[in-house]
Amino acid sequence: MTRIIADISVSLDGFVTGPDPGPDNGLGTGGEALHTWAFSEAPDDRRILREAAARSGAVILGRRLFDIVDGPNGWDETTGYGAREVGKPAFIVVTSSPPESVRLTDLDWTFVTTGLPDAIATARERAEAASSDSGKDLDAVLMGGGATIRSALAAGLVDELTLHLAPVVLGAGTPLFTGGAPRTLVQRSVISTSTVTHLTYDVL
């Protein structure tokens, strides 16, 4: 069964970027430390990244994150989705204004202008179609940014939350959580490596 999974790296003080993120500084000042684990050679880090890429039938992202990954300093053959475990699922971008062109033309982009619930519904459909084609269950993954994941959680659209808790205090940046209604999580797994603690929760 296709699940909606929010998957993001976060600092100990709850930020998903450092200060002053932007198209030329996507993770903000010091934010690269959040993703050290994705380039680690630790066996558990490699396995978790490989498994996450393999289960992704579709990926949802917000427009700000799209502008970063498709920008001139964005993804390339070594830093695409899944890093060295490169997969090419469908990418669904929630935006009020689709771009006139994309740089990463080898990826499958769909731009949804009717809101986050419709973007997630589209991603679920694409993931279910990919599941049927591959013969294995694939998920729709919310990769960010922080506001997109926060909105999806608040709207009750997320089945599972995976946090990669990096051992860094950024002090400022883009927060993952900014208040809102309480939400119950059920811890499924905790895996600690030398670079990060991988936390997985069911969202009730």
Side-chain angles (χ1 to χ4, degrees):
M1 183 180 71
T2 294
R3 298 167 298 165
I4 307 301
I5 298 175
D7 187 314
I8 197 164
S9 297
V10 62
S11 68
L12 289 176
D13 51 347
F15 295 103
V16 297
T17 75
D20 302 318
D24 296 324
N25 188 28
L27 291 172
T29 303
E32 294 82 2
L34 296 171
H35 294 271
T36 299
W37 73 271
F39 302 95
S40 164
E41 295 299 334
D44 279 336
D45 289 333
R46 302 298 328 146
R47 176 181 59 79
I48 287 168
L49 188 66
R50 181 174 61 251
E51 290 175 353
R55 78 184 183 202
S56 301
V59 176
I60 307 116
L61 62 159
R63 177 57 189 270
R64 289 182 184 176
L65 183 54
F66 166 79
D67 286 341
I68 291 168
V69 302
D70 194 57
N73 299 315
W75 286 350
D76 57 28
E77 64 275 6
T78 63
T79 59
Y81 184 75
R84 286 169 288 174
E85 306 295 343
V86 176
K88 291 190 177 180
F91 289 92
I92 314 301
V93 181
V94 57
T95 178
S96 61
S97 178
E100 294 182 1
S101 63
V102 297
R103 177 178 64 86
L104 298 168
T105 56
D106 60 326
L107 299 181
D108 179 0
W109 297 105
T110 298
F111 298 92
V112 175
T113 60
T114 51
L116 181 57
D118 285 347
I120 290 176
T122 298
R124 186 191 294 276
E125 291 172 1
R126 296 296 300 274
E128 288 173 347
S131 296
S132 179
D133 290 343
S134 67
K136 61 182 181 180
D137 287 339
L138 298 175
D139 298 317
V141 179
L142 274 155
M143 67 171 284
T148 301
I149 287 179
R150 186 164 62 246
S151 296
L153 284 166
L157 299 172
V158 176
D159 300 313
E160 179 183 305
L161 174 64
T162 297
L163 300 178
H164 310 284
L165 188 63
V168 59
V169 175
L170 293 172
T174 304
L176 180 56
F177 300 112
T178 58
R183 184 163 295 279
T184 300
L185 306 177
V186 176
Q187 186 169 285
R188 285 184 52 201
S189 68
V190 178
I191 300 172
S192 295
T193 73
S194 61
T195 59
V196 74
T197 302
H198 303 280
L199 304 165
T200 301
Y201 302 94
D202 286 329
V203 182
L204 301 182

